[in-house]
Amino acid sequence: MKWMRFLLMPLYRLWFYLLLSIPIIILFPFLLLVTITEKTYASFFKLAQLWAAIIIYGMGWWPVIKREAAMKKGESYMLIANHTSMTDIMLMLLIAKNPFVFVGKAELAKIPIFGFFYKRTCILVDRNNAQSRKAVFESASRRLKKGIGICIFPEGGVPEDRDLVLDSFKDGAFRLAIEHQIPVVPMSFYDNKKRFPFAFFYGSPGVMRAKTHQVIESKGLQLPGDKVRFRESVRNIILNDLLKDQTLKNRPA
């Protein structure tokens, strides 16, 4: 019944933004305290994980995470995944055990309340500004040297075509991984597009599945020669897994 969706989805969306904002307002003094300096980022990260859990479970989503390999405590990783929804941020926070920072779009800093802490803790990039892209590498390099991981959604944004399984990958994550010789952790997010897409009148409670694939080492790789091959090999891991999942869902019972 389409009329039910058009009636209920605005309320469901409103509930999402309330869950996004209210914990930040309640925790504001603590969040302010732990974002004064990068030295307290680990404490902020734990609060961010709590915030993510409140949103995911509060929306009626149930994360089911399959791990092919565990990430070692205290190590830096480059975390990447397909990008389909705002909920990718929350799910990534629940999956990762080690602190990391997001590299994300500068436009998100305009979101009320959320944007205040987003710009204090994340690495912001304006993809239309070459100087901004250069600053991203400098900031990410500084964080990696301090043992903090990086998360980049290498598609560069959510594809406008909702039927597209996986867009092409940009170079940034792989250049950083090779430059700092840190391993890459590819991840597949299967249900986020269905649970909370950017299409306003769609979404639903339910299972939110994810999979962390085997860790891919970058040791021994060199720039610029190995960058494209490395990028495409990682992309194929995620793409083939997403296509396999689609095939299994469409298989007749």
Side-chain angles (χ1 to χ4, degrees), residues 29-48 99 101 120-121 143 146 148:
F30 303 101
L31 291 170
L32 200 60
L33 188 65
V34 296
T35 55
I36 292 174
T37 171
E38 290 181 6
K39 293 179 181 179
T40 56
Y41 185 78
S43 298
F44 167 80
F45 185 76
K46 291 185 181 300
L47 289 176
V101 295
R120 289 170 69 93
T121 55
R143 298 295 185 96
K146 292 182 178 180
I148 296 174

Side-chain angles (χ1 to χ4, degrees), residues 8-244:
L8 296 177
M9 284 311 302
L11 297 176
Y12 195 56
R13 294 263 163 178
L14 175 62
W15 179 238
F16 173 82
Y17 286 107
L18 287 173
L19 287 173
L20 185 148
S21 302
I22 290 173
I24 296 177
I25 294 171
I26 294 171
L27 296 171
F28 189 88
F30 303 101
L31 291 170
L32 200 60
L33 188 65
V34 296
T35 55
I36 292 174
T37 171
E38 290 181 6
K39 293 179 181 179
T40 56
Y41 185 78
S43 298
F44 167 80
F45 185 76
K46 291 185 181 300
L47 289 176
Q49 289 182 307
L50 172 62
W51 169 80
I54 290 171
I55 294 171
I56 285 180
Y57 289 107
M59 291 294 290
W61 300 321
W62 190 260
V64 176
I65 301 162
K66 181 179 179 181
R67 303 179 190 271
E68 285 193 344
M71 288 176 266
K72 297 178 182 177
K73 189 175 181 179
E75 285 197 16
S76 295
Y77 294 91
M78 176 63 69
L79 310 178
I80 69 168
N82 54 308
H83 198 17
T84 60
S85 168
M86 283 184 66
T87 60
D88 299 340
I89 295 172
M90 296 83 186
L91 188 57
M92 185 68 78
L93 284 166
L94 286 192
I95 291 173
K97 302 299 182 183
N98 300 348
F100 68 87
V101 295
F102 286 103
V103 174
K105 296 184 293 185
E107 305 93 272
L108 294 180
K110 298 176 183 178
I111 299 176
I113 304 174
F114 169 82
F116 177 80
F117 290 103
Y118 176 79
K119 63 186 177 184
R120 289 170 69 93
T121 55
C122 299
I123 301 171
L124 275 57
V125 58
D126 179 354
R127 293 189 171 90
N128 298 317
N129 186 321
Q131 195 64 33
S132 173
R133 294 197 298 270
K134 181 182 177 183
V136 165
F137 280 99
E138 293 172 353
S139 182
S141 296
R142 187 179 73 251
R143 298 295 185 96
L144 287 168
K145 288 175 182 176
K146 292 182 178 180
I148 296 174
I150 301 291
C151 173
I152 296 178
F153 296 106
E155 292 169 275
V158 175
E160 291 184 10
D161 182 358
R162 292 178 60 205
D163 295 322
L164 183 66
V165 177
L166 189 67
D167 208 346
S168 58
F169 278 7
K170 300 187 184 303
D171 291 336
F174 308 95
R175 177 181 156 189
L176 274 168
I178 294 173
E179 189 174 296
H180 292 275
Q181 296 288 280
I182 62 167
V184 171
V185 182
M187 302 185 194
S188 299
F189 292 172
Y190 303 105
D191 304 308
N192 293 20
K193 186 189 294 187
K194 181 179 179 181
R195 295 289 162 249
F196 202 74
F198 278 88
F200 186 84
F201 289 103
Y202 293 87
S204 68
V207 173
M208 187 177 272
R209 297 169 301 138
K211 180 179 179 180
T212 64
H213 299 278
Q214 292 289 341
V215 175
I216 311 298
E217 293 291 342
S218 64
K219 288 181 180 178
L221 300 181
Q222 296 181 341
L223 293 172
D226 292 317
K227 182 179 63 180
V228 172
R229 180 191 60 79
F230 187 44
R231 181 193 73 204
E232 292 307 302
S233 65
V234 174
R235 180 178 181 272
N236 284 334
I237 290 171
I238 299 175
L239 176 61
N240 292 335
D241 186 56
L242 294 173
L243 290 173
K244 180 181 176 182

